Amino acid sequence: MSNPYIPFASEIKAIIPHTAIEYTFRMGYVGEVHPGQFFEVSIPKYGEAPISVSGIGPDYVDLTIRRVGRVTNEIFTYQPGRTLLMRGPYGNGFRTADYAGRELVIVAGGTGVSPVKAVIDYFGTHPQEVASLTVIAGFKSPADILFKEDIARWESQMNLIVTVDQSEDPAYRTGLVTKYIPDLTFSQLSKAAAIVVGPPVMMKFAVAELKKLGITDEQIWISQERKMCCGLGKCGHCRMGDAYICLDGPVFNYTEGKKLLD
């Protein structure tokens, strides 16, 4: 019987810098994985950290990592060709079938773009599978914008709104993501669907704005990431109410997800 806590070695195929503290590590991986799932990434003697899947390829997964602590500081010293230890994937993730044929709106803030990036990539290259696709992505400043090369591609694939909290440069839209939600229109409201990912306060107010448009709880999905230490529902660190984020989530329909917001 295999031990689910034992990780496997994965080679770093490429490293893509985004900001001073946020890089995407393209890791060798072959197997089933869904957008929004996560891996536990570890380095012996340094520890382990949960990292969301931000991209999926035939023989790799992209993990966008923010340098914020002991484990991630060490990861940032690694170069392509070296290996990291990984366990997973864990969690349920986003299932693209849930949004097929619908007028899909994705609202994401900051690093919250990472868990939904693979959803955006998928429907950007399979536009026939949704009735429409709108993405509203917000960042603190122009220097904090992630996935700039992908954003350049997305501009021709969907209705894309990228905004920063504030900037003196007129080339950038400014304001929080909630500023742009009231302008959304739907040809058939019953076919609308929304994904909202970001800091809890951002999700709370973004969902409130979507509901003002007539979108119901059942039409909204969120990703709730919280201290996912073991990935197996054993340690209890990610428990919120009766839910274990690593097992029951991190993706929740808002009918359940609204009970889990801090």
Side-chain angles (χ1 to χ4, degrees), residues 95-175:
R95 306 300 165 128
T96 54
D98 288 337
Y99 315 108
R102 308 181 77 163
E103 297 179 58
L104 178 60
V105 175
I106 299 174
V107 183
T111 55
V113 178
S114 296
V116 293
K117 178 181 173 291
V119 180
I120 300 170
D121 284 336
Y122 180 82
F123 287 119
T125 55
H126 298 80
Q128 72 280 3
E129 295 190 22
V130 285
S132 64
L133 177 60
T134 297
V135 174
I136 305 174
F139 301 92
K140 184 179 290 186
S141 72
D144 296 302
I145 295 176
L146 303 176
F147 312 120
K148 290 181 179 178
E149 292 185 4
D150 300 282
I151 285 172
R153 183 181 72 253
W154 294 344
E155 287 177 341
S156 64
Q157 296 177 329
M158 63 201 68
N159 177 27
L160 177 67
I161 298 169
V162 176
T163 181
V164 296
D165 290 356
Q166 54 185 346
S167 174
E168 300 299 325
D169 189 339
Y172 293 96
R173 289 186 175 97
T174 57

Side-chain angles (χ1 to χ4, degrees), residues 4 14 16 28 36 66 74 88 93 95 106 127 143 183 186 205 211 221 231 247 256 262:
I16 306 162
R66 191 174 203 184
E74 183 64 16
R95 306 300 165 128
I106 299 174
D183 296 330
F186 302 92
F205 286 103
K211 293 181 71 171
W221 284 259
L247 294 180
E256 294 299 321
D262 290 327

